[in-house]
Amino acid sequence: MIADLLTTPALSMSTDAASLSVGTGPSWVLLIPFLALLGAALCGVYAALGVKTKAPAWTIVALLAASFAATVAMWLGFDGNPYTVKAFDWIQVRWGEGTGAAAFIANFSFYVDTLTIYWMLFVTGLATLIALYASEYMSHDVGTGYSRFFAAFSLFVFSMACLVMGDNFIMLYLGWEGVGLCSYLLIGYFYKKPSAVAAAKKAFIVNRIGDLGLALGIYLIFVHFGTVEFAALFADAKLQGYLEAAKVGNFDDIPAMAKAIPLLLMVGAFGKSAQFPLYVWLPDAMEGPTPVSALIHAATMVTAGVYLIARTYPLFLTSEIALPIVAWIGTITALLAATIGMAQFDIKRIMAYSTVSQLGYMFAGLGVLTPTGAAYHTLTHAFFKALLFLCCGAVMHGFAGQLDLRKLSGLRKVPGWRWVTIGMLVGCLNLAGFPITAGYFSKDTILAEAFVTPGASVIGFLLLLTAGLTAYYTFRVFFRVFMGPVHYEAGEEGHDHEHHDDHAHDTPGHHGDHESEPHSVESEPASQGPEHTSSEEKHFAKHSPAPDKAKQHEFHPHAPGWAINAVLITLTALSVLASGLYFVGGNKDLHTKHYAGTMIAQSTAAYDTPYDKYAFKGEHAVAQPGVGPRGVIAEPLTMPIIGGDPHKMMYFVSGVIGLVGIALAWWLHLAGRTTAAECRMDKVARMFGPIPKWAEHKWYVDEFYHAVFRMPLVIVSHLSHWFDKLVIDGLVNLFGLLPRVLGGLIRPSQSGALQGYAAGMIGGAAVLLLVVLLIAARIGGAA
Amino acid sequence: MSPLWTILLILVPLAGALLVIFGGDGKNAYRDALWASIASLVPAVMMLIRFDYTRAAEFQGAASWTWIEQLGLRLSIGTDSIALLLIALTVLLGPVCVLASKTAITKHRRMYYAWLLILQAAMVGVFASRDLLMFYICFEFTLLPMFVLIRMFGSTNRVAASTKFFLYTFTGSIIALAGLVYVVGFAADLNGAWSLDIGVLTAAAAQMSAGQQAMVLGALLAGFAVKVPLFPVHTWLPLAHTEAPTAGSVILAGVLLKLGTYGIYRFAIPMAPAAFTEYAPAIATLSIVGIIYAGLICWIQDDIKKLVAYSSVSHLGFCVLGLAALNAAGLSGSVLYMLSHGLSTGGLFLMIGFMYERYHTRDMRKVSGLASKMPVWAFFMVFFAMASVGLPGLNGFPSELLCLIGAFQADEAWTLAGEPGAAGVTLGPWYAAVAGLGMVIAAMYLLIMVGRICFGPLVEPEGHHAHAVLPDDLNTREIITLLPLAVGCLVFGFFPGLLLDAIHDPVNQTLELVRAGSAAAADTAGAFTQGVRP
């Protein structure tokens, strides 16, 4: 029995994955990153030439589609053996000879296994779709801004490809910082807006703190294992030895230096994936254009931390505390962000906090030993959260930047908003974990595994609570904005005479003074179709009516055009279909049941709890005793309180909790609501005293950081500055006075300073000669 | 490789200087200087082509002329790959500096361009020299042109800046001279023959006892650390940088500071290997203090040029840290840093110069949000800032990475465990971790700079009038000025191997020397070898 347990398929799986021969792959794989880089370069050329058409968008859509096609080809052509493809030598330093020879080698080269393919499929696929969406969304900026946007967008895809496909940690780091740069450039896209510039800077700097952890982790990997290349690292005998020790819970045999590696790497992951305590940059990042929020700050870049941990999962298994820390940080983040999200009024910010919260689920999933669950949730979340953001973007685009859910209501009934409403509903159902949606299955995988992982049931309960909160705040948005009476106010954008923010057609002439008096419209503007609106706008833009005339003109929301609708429909379909992935693509020879599981099982992230490896009952694994990194588990684990197999019970428990959250949102935010601004929740909130206000202010975490970290640093900087000026330079000046005083004694006038210095220099040379002569004479005398 | 090219590289700029002085009025000076600096690219390119990279550690194109035979005084030249690459950087910056000065310098142009060319010749001389006399003369002679450039062509506080620059570095180099002279004397005692040849001196110096080495190291560092500049002897630099004309700042950042690190690499390490190994933790500590301290000072500057000037102190800290690591990664990273820092920081100084010509202020409270008015300028500003931040894919990254890995690795614990290790230096993870904070701080100060000067609403100084000659945004000449640096940043970001392969041999040879030297010193520990004749 024990002997059986020692050969757990779980851990031998990762050994298998690593010991598979890593060959050289076809070089067309290089097209995936380099097509995106080409796109960025072409957009640079467009910008330099001052192209005033949509050419940048179509170029990028075409190139990214080709990149996606290449990714699909890579997937279909993959035979189960990981391979590398080298573009060129990058950083190589060699030293020593013979047996002492060693080297630091990081090539510009790519590593392809199922984890890479899994990630790249949704990265390139979503990037293509969102580029298409952005072609319409950004159309108000056609010209240099448009080229700049798509250049950074495409550069982002290149960086993300380097991050996910890189065959060594330095390539991963290149991608890691590269996506940070693109995120910086795109958050700060509206660069005249101080808040956007500040948000961009904050994102980059907070990420850099994480990057430092990642960098130190990489150095430690290099020093400890002598390589930074994935293929060599995962085949390393030392690492395999550690894994053997971890398998039987013998963590004392693993050196502390090796155990420190995951602790450092996770700091990087927390920064990039906006986890507590480094999550504060992501909500501010919503200053960027919405397609950017959808692609970078919801679907792809922020999952880089999940990818990093999945990629280096064997390293995390060698520490008995690394994964529990990841699980707890994820759980704390999920709960904290959900509480903040409940109290926000800006729908894009709510989505941002929900992203932070859902990323918390993914980290918790990694921490409770289900990289499969984490990866599956990453995929489903990428679809439905991109969908939700793009729907919010369509609202923002159509209502002149209006994002306040107290000023938007009943959009369902406004003509031209059908697909947005459907998309939003599907996205919300997924996010809320409504039964049989993709989000429901992926979240359940994580929740159930939390209950079967020893010592993690508290995490399970907290995540269940968070699931309820998530359902509540998600449908709070839907019931407020899309349901109820028709009532909306235009936002304040499009009135900035310097530049046009997010909104396309609100040229200054169109709305005149609306910004000072937001205009409320209660009637159904049935006669205003999109065609009508745009022709009217052209008219007004051309003639620039006087403000008082424009004032009389009512605000008409601008329904999305074909590109936005097509992308929304596609993403809606994908979000629905993603739940099918839970049932297809399975390989019964492997321990897992579905597409994500199969992909993960063949990669370096291969590890799931041992429990579901043993007994298959229909669709589910049943909790069984086994051996895990925490040692031998004797008792089968059951769902706390209600008992039964957690995997099965979770379907009912989380389904009920999701429905309760939705019902609560319905009762508080929709039932009996007659205006956009007021609802039953206003009264209920008062019962909680100041707590909702605190939550709205994000629990004052930003203020806390400002007071505890930034202010002391500012003070230290100023002190350093004055210390430099007064003490260090003061001493120098004091010392400098000496020769001047002496010089003053000898030569009263300061004239001819230049000649004086020249003389001094020649004097120095003379001293050299003199000393030389003296010594030479000495040698001569001695010889 | 023929020594002819090296000689031409010194003579062409000198001839150019003569042409500038005697070739007509100020209008011709710019043109003549430009041609002279472009002409000197030819021998530099020839050197790069003719150099035999399979023997990169050897001094190629060597030539030697006897001066006073009895005293062993000779003039010798020759370059290994590191000297060659630094020479190439120096010569590349020549036309850049001349181009950048066309509209910035309106008075005394003949004097300006003549000194600029003489400075270039002197810097090439420093790197090409193989005997102490020529090295020292050229080393000192870089001071005078720079002094004049700051004194005559600097901004408001130029007198104080130039005086401090001159006196500070001159004092330092006098002390370094004393150390070198001591080595000369020791070598003469040891060999019984008199020589100023750097190779001979280096070989002899390794025989010094630990105490002697420590003394020599102290003297050499006094000179070279001021040049770098290392904390706490850095205060001349922000002042000199801020007041110098744009081209002066570019040369200062690009080459003159590297004379310090090059001096440490070429003299301090090989001549006092045991002492350097012993004091490496102290040197590393000073550089780390510099990285953090100068970085924080950058963060709160309103004067954009002072910000970039202090950033040089912070950046060069990484360079010295790499040297102190005394392993292949650290030394390679450090040499790479010498080559790449000039491109990115030089680029930033050019950007500031172009902005200054238009607005006549460096105060970011008075001028900001320039992206809407000068998009091309803003693009390059962001580009060079990112290179300076150490973004992977640009030139700063490989060098910073290797310096930090070098420091991280330089721990006896690794060496003893048979892992890739150092030559007995104990720095280790904590050094790298604290220095790594510099990465975060660099992002803080460079992004706050970019955020203020490029982004946000447009702010122009009161009473600003459009420049009479220059357009709002960069003109073609200015873009051409920037391109060599920008292209260099990209090429060495993606292909640092071009440089790393070239410097592999000399770096490893230096390491061998250090190992042998420290071992020898350990053997003869305490033995006072002076007076012992072979």
Side-chain angles (χ1 to χ4, degrees):
Chain A
M1 180 67 186
I2 296 295
D4 280 357
L5 290 176
L6 284 178
T7 55
T8 36
L11 282 160
S12 58
M13 192 69 68
S14 60
T15 317
D16 287 349
S19 58
L20 284 172
S21 61
V22 179
T24 305
S27 49
W28 56 260
V29 166
L30 296 175
L31 283 175
I32 298 168
F34 284 108
L35 281 175
L37 186 62
L38 174 69
L42 285 176
C43 283
V45 173
Y46 289 140
L49 296 178
V51 170
K52 296 257 184 293
T53 63
K54 283 195 176 184
W58 304 133
T59 308
I60 294 303
V61 170
L63 287 171
L64 291 184
S67 183
F68 175 63
T71 313
V72 172
M74 177 171 83
W75 178 36
L76 297 176
F78 189 72
D79 65 356
N81 291 313
Y83 57 82
T84 59
V85 185
K86 188 163 108 178
F88 52 84
D89 289 347
W90 190 28
I91 303 176
Q92 297 189 350
V93 179
R94 296 165 199 280
W95 61 91
E97 282 164 21
T99 51
F104 176 85
I105 294 176
N107 289 327
F108 214 92
S109 140
F110 301 94
Y111 178 80
V112 178
D113 70 351
T114 46
L115 186 68
T116 311
I117 295 170
Y118 183 84
W119 236 266
M120 283 313 292
L121 277 171
F122 75 79
V123 167
T124 53
L126 279 176
T128 311
L129 283 174
I130 294 172
L132 180 62
Y133 177 98
S135 71
E136 180 182 331
Y137 190 90
M138 301 303 293
S139 56
H140 56 292
D141 261 9
V142 167
T144 316
Y146 205 64
S147 304
R148 180 162 60 91
F149 176 86
F150 281 100
F153 193 94
S154 201
L155 190 63
F156 166 77
V157 179
F158 168 74
S159 306
M160 195 69 199
C162 289
L163 195 167
V164 174
M165 295 175 70
D167 94 324
N168 59 67
F169 282 97
I170 309 298
M171 273 299 282
L172 183 141
Y173 191 82
L174 170 114
W176 196 266
E177 293 257 295
V179 294
L181 168 74
C182 298
S183 164
Y184 169 77
L185 294 175
L186 287 166
I187 296 169
Y189 176 78
F190 302 115
Y191 60 81
K192 284 178 200 161
K193 221 167 133 193
S195 61
V197 179
K201 196 177 70 194
K202 182 174 176 182
F204 197 90
I205 291 169
V206 173
N207 266 299
R208 266 258 158 160
I209 297 171
D211 294 355
L212 176 59
L214 174 62
L216 292 173
I218 294 172
Y219 304 160
L220 194 51
I221 287 171
F222 174 67
V223 170
H224 193 76
F225 292 105
T227 181
V228 290
E229 293 178 300
F230 294 144
L233 172 67
F234 294 124
D236 188 85
K238 207 163 18 171
L239 179 61
Q240 295 305 323
Y242 298 161
L243 285 171
E244 290 296 320
K247 195 173 8 179
V248 291
N250 196 359
F251 288 98
D252 292 341
D253 289 355
I254 302 170
M257 276 300 171
K259 290 190 203 172
I261 292 171
L263 301 181
L264 289 167
L265 293 182
M266 75 171 73
V267 177
F270 294 156
K272 193 59 82 192
S273 291
Q275 295 298 292
F276 183 82
L278 298 177
Y279 70 95
V280 288
W281 63 271
L282 184 60
D284 288 15
M286 297 300 121
E287 292 286 345
T290 305
V292 170
S293 310
L295 179 69
I296 300 185
H297 303 122
T300 56
M301 182 187 87
V302 289
T303 67
V306 182
Y307 170 80
L308 173 69
I309 297 181
R311 172 57 78 207
T312 57
Y313 215 63
L315 295 174
F316 277 77
L317 290 171
T318 59
S319 162
E320 67 271 46
I321 54 167
L323 284 174
I325 292 176
V326 170
W328 272 105
I329 291 286
T331 308
I332 291 167
T333 310
L335 184 59
L336 181 75
T339 58
I340 298 174
M342 284 165 66
Q344 299 298 307
F345 294 101
D346 178 321
I347 55 175
K348 217 176 143 186
R349 296 243 161 183
I350 295 172
M351 290 307 151
Y353 278 106
S354 111
T355 303
V356 175
S357 177
Q358 296 301 306
L359 288 165
Y361 273 95
M362 296 167 208
F363 276 77
L366 291 166
V368 299
L369 300 166
T370 172
T372 301
Y376 186 39
H377 199 55
T378 304
L379 181 72
T380 60
H381 176 260
F383 288 144
F384 71 70
K385 188 51 69 64
L387 174 62
L388 284 169
F389 265 111
L390 295 183
C391 289
C392 290
V395 171
M396 194 176 172
H397 191 67
F399 290 83
Q402 184 59 269
L403 285 169
D404 191 329
L405 55 74
R406 291 167 298 190
K407 293 177 182 167
L408 291 165
S409 174
L411 298 197
R412 181 173 64 93
K413 296 174 196 145
V414 181
W417 291 85
R418 182 197 299 139
W419 289 112
V420 178
T421 307
I422 293 174
M424 193 75 182
L425 178 62
V426 168
C428 286
L429 288 172
N430 269 291
L431 179 54
F434 190 82
I436 74 156
T437 57
Y440 167 76
F441 287 123
S442 58
K443 198 186 282 183
D444 280 2
T445 314
I446 295 170
L447 286 170
E449 292 294 336
F451 285 111
V452 298
T453 302
S457 56
V458 181
I459 286 171
F461 282 116
L462 287 175
L463 289 180
L464 263 181
L465 170 67
T466 308
L469 302 182
T470 307
Y472 164 75
Y473 72 69
T474 308
F475 272 86
R476 170 173 174 255
V477 173
F478 187 78
F479 289 145
R480 293 290 288 255
V481 176
F482 288 87
M483 307 285 280
V486 178
H487 182 124
Y488 50 81
E489 289 172 24
E492 298 183 1
E493 285 181 356
H495 303 280
D496 185 343
H497 292 260
E498 295 282 333
H499 74 285
H500 315 276
D501 268 1
D502 253 354
H503 190 61
H505 303 280
D506 294 297
T507 49
H510 185 192
H511 288 298
D513 283 345
H514 276 225
E515 59 190 298
S516 50
E517 288 177 64
H519 202 100
S520 169
V521 184
E522 295 231 20
S523 63
E524 293 213 3
S527 61
Q528 305 295 345
E531 297 307 316
H532 185 103
T533 313
S534 58
S535 65
E536 197 173 60
E537 274 159 6
K538 271 180 207 148
H539 171 79
F540 276 104
K542 213 176 271 175
H543 293 98
S544 294
D548 54 334
K549 192 182 171 191
K551 213 170 193 172
Q552 295 157 11
H553 184 75
E554 286 186 340
F555 171 74
H556 299 298
H558 159 63
W562 72 268
I564 288 184
N565 272 335
V567 171
L568 291 182
I569 292 166
T570 313
L571 274 176
T572 305
L574 284 172
S575 297
V576 171
L577 291 175
S579 60
L581 293 179
Y582 193 63
F583 302 101
V584 299
N587 178 354
K588 288 291 174 193
D589 293 339
L590 295 166
H591 66 287
T592 42
K593 337 172 247 306
H594 53 73
Y595 167 74
T598 317
M599 296 296 266
I600 293 303
Q602 297 174 27
S603 75
T604 57
Y607 187 89
D608 271 277
T609 56
Y611 319 111
D612 63 348
K613 312 273 161 45
Y614 293 136
F616 282 102
K617 278 190 186 169
E619 299 276 84
H620 314 288
V622 175
Q624 290 282 320
V627 176
R630 314 282 173 268
V632 179
I633 311 301
E635 292 294 314
L637 286 148
T638 56
M639 188 72 192
I641 304 171
I642 51 175
D645 172 34
H647 269 279
K648 269 186 184 165
M649 296 314 293
M650 197 48 61
Y651 287 149
F652 304 106
V653 174
S654 91
V656 167
I657 284 180
L659 288 171
V660 167
I662 295 171
L664 205 61
W666 173 81
W667 187 66
L668 290 172
H669 291 281
L670 182 60
R673 183 165 63 85
T674 52
T675 66
E678 288 162 5
C679 66
R680 189 170 285 128
M681 182 61 195
D682 300 338
K683 288 173 198 152
V684 177
R686 266 176 234 132
M687 288 155 45
F688 289 94
I691 292 171
K693 205 78 197 159
W694 292 346
E696 193 189 338
H697 284 98
K698 307 169 259 179
W699 304 116
Y700 299 95
V701 172
D702 277 314
E703 286 79 359
F704 176 77
Y705 285 176
H706 191 272
V708 173
F709 298 110
R710 195 167 181 280
M711 279 322 288
L713 209 55
V714 169
I715 293 168
V716 169
S717 300
H718 279 279
L719 287 178
S720 303
H721 183 53
W722 286 108
F723 181 77
D724 205 52
K725 215 170 190 172
L726 298 177
V727 180
I728 295 189
D729 206 32
L731 284 173
V732 172
N733 288 338
L734 207 64
F735 192 73
L737 278 179
L738 275 174
R740 197 169 293 180
V741 172
L742 292 174
L745 294 176
I746 301 161
R747 183 165 44 88
S749 108
Q750 280 290 314
S751 65
L754 190 57
Q755 288 88 333
Y757 298 131
M761 212 186 69
I762 293 162
V767 169
L768 174 69
L769 271 177
L770 187 69
V771 176
V772 162
L773 286 169
L774 283 174
I775 298 173
R778 209 176 119 212
I779 294 170
Chain B
M1 187 175 84
S2 160
L4 178 71
W5 303 117
T6 320
I7 298 164
L8 276 178
L9 217 40
I10 298 172
L11 291 184
V12 169
L14 288 179
L18 286 177
L19 185 69
V20 165
I21 294 168
F22 299 110
D25 59 4
K27 274 180 199 161
N28 292 337
Y30 165 76
R31 194 198 57 201
D32 293 344
L34 186 60
W35 281 117
S37 60
I38 291 174
S40 41
L41 287 174
V42 176
V45 170
M46 289 310 292
M47 280 174 81
L48 285 171
I49 294 172
R50 290 295 178 84
F51 190 83
D52 180 0
Y53 293 94
T54 55
R55 303 181 293 125
E58 289 171 35
F59 289 84
Q60 302 178 26
S64 191
W65 299 272
T66 308
W67 183 22
I68 305 173
E69 191 155 10
Q70 293 81 354
L71 299 178
L73 288 188
R74 303 171 70 83
L75 282 179
S76 317
I77 56 168
T79 54
D80 67 350
S81 60
I82 292 176
L84 173 76
L85 291 170
L86 285 164
I87 287 174
L89 173 72
T90 310
V91 179
L92 176 75
L93 289 178
V96 169
C97 289
V98 174
L99 277 168
S101 307
K102 185 182 180 188
T103 49
I105 303 299
T106 49
K107 287 177 197 162
H108 308 295
R109 276 182 280 193
R110 287 192 297 167
M111 186 195 223
Y112 176 85
Y113 290 110
W115 280 118
L116 207 56
L117 289 166
I118 292 170
L119 180 56
Q120 182 178 331
M123 293 186 299
V124 171
V126 172
F127 296 125
S129 57
R130 280 305 293 154
D131 69 64
L132 206 53
L133 192 66
M134 182 173 164
F135 171 82
Y136 194 75
I137 289 174
C138 289
F139 188 79
E140 287 295 318
F141 203 78
T142 57
L143 283 184
L144 194 60
M146 199 41 147
F147 173 80
V148 176
L149 289 181
I150 299 175
R151 181 69 144 229
M152 300 282 296
F153 303 94
S155 38
T156 43
N157 204 9
R158 58 183 187 267
V159 174
S162 56
T163 309
K164 180 169 274 181
F165 161 73
F166 193 96
L167 290 180
Y168 211 139
T169 47
F170 188 68
T171 312
S173 32
I174 288 286
I175 304 173
L177 177 66
L180 289 172
V181 166
Y182 183 85
V183 174
V184 169
F186 180 84
D189 265 0
L190 192 72
N191 297 337
W194 176 248
S195 175
L196 283 184
D197 183 89
I198 292 173
V200 174
L201 293 179
T202 309
Q207 309 285 319
M208 288 192 294
S209 73
Q212 288 169 310
Q213 286 197 13
M215 200 174 70
V216 167
L217 179 70
L220 292 184
L221 277 185
F224 296 133
V226 168
K227 269 277 193 227
V228 173
L230 202 60
F231 176 87
V233 286
H234 63 274
T235 50
W236 63 271
L237 181 73
L239 196 61
H241 253 325
T242 313
E243 302 302 327
T246 301
S249 296
V250 172
I251 293 180
L252 204 51
V255 187
L256 284 189
L257 304 188
K258 309 318 177 325
L259 295 186
T261 48
Y262 179 77
I264 295 176
Y265 173 79
R266 184 67 83 208
F267 296 99
I269 293 178
M271 286 185 176
F276 197 88
T277 309
E278 190 185 343
Y279 291 104
I283 296 166
T285 306
L286 282 183
S287 42
I288 290 170
V289 170
I291 291 171
I292 306 286
Y293 171 86
L296 286 176
I297 293 176
C298 283
W299 191 41
I300 51 152
Q301 293 302 316
D302 289 319
D303 182 328
I304 185 168
K305 211 171 173 188
K306 203 163 229 171
L307 192 159
V308 178
Y310 268 109
S311 86
S312 274
V313 181
S314 184
H315 278 131
L316 269 288
F318 283 104
C319 192
V320 177
L321 180 67
L323 289 175
L326 281 181
N327 51 26
L331 282 189
S332 307
S334 184
V335 173
L336 213 53
Y337 218 114
M338 294 181 209
L339 296 166
S340 69
H341 173 258
L343 298 177
S344 48
T345 305
L348 284 177
F349 276 121
L350 286 177
M351 301 313 301
I352 294 168
F354 297 154
M355 189 269 295
Y356 187 80
E357 276 188 67
R358 286 165 173 80
Y359 292 102
H360 299 287
T361 181
R362 303 180 305 249
D363 191 334
M364 289 188 284
R365 289 168 300 192
K366 290 185 185 148
V367 53
S368 66
L370 292 178
S372 51
K373 195 163 181 187
M374 307 169 71
V376 179
W377 181 87
F379 168 79
F380 280 106
M381 190 73 187
V382 174
F383 179 87
F384 286 117
M386 285 300 159
S388 197
V389 162
L391 194 81
L394 296 176
N395 61 335
F397 174 70
S399 44
E400 199 172 276
L401 171 83
L402 290 173
C403 286
L404 285 174
I405 283 198
F408 199 102
Q409 233 188 330
D411 188 335
E412 275 174 348
W414 317 125
T415 327
L416 293 177
E419 276 152 0
V425 180
T426 309
L427 298 186
W430 287 109
Y431 285 80
V434 180
L437 286 175
M439 285 167 42
V440 179
I441 295 172
M444 279 160 51
Y445 64 73
L446 284 162
L447 290 190
I448 209 167
M449 177 188 84
V450 167
R452 289 175 76 176
I453 198 80
C454 292
F455 304 138
L458 179 67
V459 176
E460 293 180 313
E462 274 178 45
H464 165 70
H465 301 290
H467 194 281
V469 184
L470 296 168
D472 275 357
D473 206 344
L474 298 184
N475 62 24
T476 314
R477 170 184 60 88
E478 288 169 323
I479 292 174
I480 291 173
T481 312
L482 294 171
L483 276 181
L485 302 183
V487 170
C489 288
L490 265 178
V491 169
F492 296 131
F494 280 99
F495 306 100
L498 296 173
L499 303 175
L500 286 171
D501 290 346
I503 63 175
H504 171 266
D505 288 356
V507 161
N508 279 281
Q509 201 185 52
T510 304
L511 282 176
E512 277 310 308
L513 232 124
V514 173
R515 274 195 202 100
S518 340
D523 290 345
T524 59
F528 191 61
T529 51
Q530 195 172 33
V532 178
R533 305 247 170 90

